[in-house]
């Protein structure tokens, strides 16, 4: 591993910040692997996505499984997506989301609490009900602890990746709990409509992808609205969500693409969203920005790998932020150094929120 790739792996955000000024919008990480963020290159890559393969993440594939829909290609991937997308449309889950959000806001303590901890607990409960159709706090608590043990520390995450390459990081007890709950699910629960083969990998992937980035995006939106002093402007929530997704995308990278001759290209969401040639004052939170050009804004990825839960995630973020700011007066601590969980970027767990009832 060369020095550039080492910096990319160990100190991802500082590395990305250090190459922001590269006008070409591409940096070679190693022989035949490039990080790209120029909007024309990204747009072309997404247009031709079906002709490319999608190597799995070396960090996440041992967790989510090699048969996760996130790594499948070709007809298998297409079939899974066609099955999933209709089941993840936001409006059909609105009542469920509103119930969970109302409960979470109602029981929110008035003392300091971790903003990201609160949003992760809430979004995991939501996707748990979508997938299983019922509450199962024991299972979701075990799932969250399992993720935190593996992704809660950058050093621990990368140690697992390099010291035990190829080793599974699943938990047999947790897997048994997941399968037991998934196999007993009944329609309209999403798990009841998934193929029985590879069920563990698909359910774990849905639980992970269905809450981790949504929780981070929600927390970042609250953070930026608080920083901008607009927590009382509920009319700006949608614009604030879009600008937060631009400035602090919950996923820094949009997965790997590999050509037939072995060239690997990795689109950087973080760098594309902060490109000075595209955005005026790119580091400033501005909810009044005009829509960006094609290839310059893709917080949910793009091409055949764009997030199938985009609609559900946006509805969750909107409902959570709106309910929180409507019913609570929010004060946040000053800590804002991002925490990386894989390639996902969240506010740090020690970002304290004090939420008091509005008079």
């Amino acid at each position: 591993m060369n020095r550039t790739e080492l910096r990319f792996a160990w100190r991802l955000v500082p590395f990305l910040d250090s190459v922001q000024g590269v006008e070409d919008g591409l940096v070679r990480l190693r022989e035949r692997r490039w990080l790209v963020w120029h909007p024309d290159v990204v747009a072309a890559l997404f247009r031709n996505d079906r002709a490319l393969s999608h190597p799995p993440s070396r960090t996440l594939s041992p967790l989510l499984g090699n048969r996760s829909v996130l790594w499948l290609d070709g007809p298998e991937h297409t079939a899974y997506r066609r099955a999933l997308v209709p089941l993840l449309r936001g409006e059909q889950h609105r009542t469920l989301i509103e119930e969970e959000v109302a409960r979470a806001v109602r029981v929110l303590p008035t003392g300091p609490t971790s903003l990201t901890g609160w949003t992760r607990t809430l979004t995991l409960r939501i996707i748990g009900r979508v997938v299983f159709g019922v509450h199962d706090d024991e299972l979701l608590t075990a799932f969250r602890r399992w993720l935190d043990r593996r992704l809660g520390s950058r050093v621990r995450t990368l140690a697992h990746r390099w010291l035990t390459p190829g080793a599974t990081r699943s938990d047999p007890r947790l897997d048994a709990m997941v399968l037991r709950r998934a196999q007993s699910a009944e329609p309209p629960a999403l798990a009841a409509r998934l193929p029985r083969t590879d069920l563990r990998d698909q359910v774990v992937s849905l639980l992970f992808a269905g809450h981790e980035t949504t929780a981070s995006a929600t927390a970042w939106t609250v953070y930026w609205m608080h920083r901008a002093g607009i927590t009382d402007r509920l009319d700006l929530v949608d614009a604030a969500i879009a600008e937060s997704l631009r400035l602090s995308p919950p996923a820094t990278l949009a997965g790997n693409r590999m050509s037939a001759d072995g060239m690997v290209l990795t689109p950087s969401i973080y760098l594309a969203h902060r490109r000075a040639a595209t955005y005026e004052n790119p580091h400033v939170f501005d909810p009044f920005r005009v829509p960006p050009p094609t290839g310059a804004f893709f917080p949910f990825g793009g091409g055949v790998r764009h997030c199938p839960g985009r609609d559900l995630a946006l509805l969750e973020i909107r409902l959570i932020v709106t309910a929180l700011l409507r019913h609570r007066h929010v004060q946040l601590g000053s800590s804002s150094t991002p925490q990386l969980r894989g390639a996902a970027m969240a506010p740090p767990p020690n970002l304290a929120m004090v939420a008091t009832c509005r008079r």
Side-chain angles (χ1 to χ4, degrees):
M1 176 176 290
N2 62 43
R3 184 171 179 269
T4 300
E5 193 174 15
L6 187 64
R7 291 173 59 212
F8 175 75
W10 279 98
R11 293 178 54 79
L12 178 59
V13 173
F15 172 79
L16 296 178
D17 287 338
S18 74
V19 299
Q20 282 186 58
V22 177
E23 294 185 3
D24 291 342
L26 59 109
V27 166
R28 189 171 74 172
L29 298 177
R30 67 168 184 263
E31 189 67 28
R32 304 186 66 75
R33 185 184 179 190
W34 293 80
L35 184 70
V36 300
W37 65 95
H38 191 287
D40 294 341
V41 176
V42 171
L45 200 59
F46 289 160
R47 278 198 307 271
N48 296 283
D49 216 1
R50 293 190 184 281
L52 304 170
S53 60
H54 303 82
S57 161
R58 287 184 292 174
T59 297
L60 293 180
S61 58
L63 286 175
L64 307 184
N66 291 327
R67 295 292 299 168
S68 165
V69 66
L70 298 177
W71 328 126
L72 295 179
D73 261 318
E76 276 189 305
H77 176 258
T78 301
Y80 263 114
R81 285 189 63 92
R82 285 177 177 167
L84 285 175
V85 170
L87 302 176
L88 292 173
R89 293 198 177 105
E91 283 301 322
Q92 66 183 309
H93 301 295
R94 176 182 283 270
T95 300
L96 179 158
I97 297 169
E98 289 176 337
E99 290 174 358
E100 292 295 338
V101 172
R103 172 194 170 278
V105 172
R106 186 172 62 251
V107 303
L108 185 62
T110 55
T113 187
S114 167
L115 174 61
T116 51
W118 183 73
T119 59
R120 282 197 188 110
T121 298
L122 173 52
T123 56
L124 184 55
R125 279 180 64 91
I126 291 170
I127 194 62
R129 282 187 63 186
V130 169
V131 172
F132 300 126
V134 296
H135 288 297
D136 191 332
D137 288 336
E138 180 185 5
L139 168 57
L140 297 183
T141 298
F143 180 81
R144 184 172 173 182
R145 287 174 178 167
W146 172 71
L147 274 182
D148 286 343
R149 285 196 301 270
R150 287 152 179 80
L151 297 179
S153 160
R154 188 69 174 165
V155 172
R156 192 184 313 135
T157 298
L158 295 176
H160 275 294
R161 172 172 163 176
W162 281 320
L163 298 182
T164 56
T168 179
R169 282 178 264 160
S170 63
D171 181 321
R173 178 177 173 274
L174 176 61
D175 287 353
M177 294 172 68
V178 167
L179 284 172
R180 185 165 56 249
R181 178 57 69 191
Q183 289 166 347
S184 65
E186 298 180 359
L190 198 156
R193 304 184 183 186
L194 293 174
R196 299 294 93 177
T197 55
D198 310 320
L199 186 60
R200 179 269 176 200
D201 288 3
Q202 305 313 337
V203 170
V204 169
S205 297
L206 284 166
L207 292 177
F208 172 76
H211 94 282
E212 183 78 25
T213 53
T214 305
S216 297
T218 303
W220 280 123
T221 301
V222 173
Y223 169 80
W224 284 114
M225 290 186 72
H226 179 266
R227 278 277 303 267
I230 57 172
T231 53
D232 59 343
R233 292 290 304 274
L234 297 185
D235 58 313
L236 293 179
V237 166
D238 284 344
I241 291 170
E243 179 66 349
S244 177
L245 287 170
R246 182 196 69 81
L247 191 55
S248 300
T252 55
L253 309 173
N256 300 317
R257 269 75 177 174
M258 186 167 68
S259 63
D261 63 357
M263 182 71 72
V264 177
L265 301 174
T266 304
S268 172
I269 302 172
Y270 181 93
L271 288 172
H273 288 189
R274 291 170 172 241
R275 185 170 179 264
T278 303
Y279 296 98
E280 185 177 359
N281 298 319
H283 300 97
V284 174
F285 177 80
D286 179 7
F288 300 101
R289 287 186 187 275
V290 297
T294 301
F297 182 72
F298 48 101
F300 295 95
V304 298
R305 297 285 158 163
H306 72 275
C307 176
R310 173 185 178 276
D311 185 54
L312 178 63
L314 285 173
L315 181 61
E316 283 185 59
I317 300 166
R318 183 183 309 118
L319 292 178
I320 296 170
V321 172
T322 300
L324 176 65
L325 299 184
R326 175 174 289 142
H327 297 290
R328 295 289 186 269
H329 178 70
V330 172
Q331 288 294 322
L332 298 180
S334 58
S335 177
S336 62
T337 303
Q339 179 199 34
L340 283 180
R341 291 164 65 89
M345 184 177 73
N350 64 347
L351 178 59
M353 171 176 65
V354 175
T356 54
C357 291
R358 286 191 178 273
R359 301 297 181 186

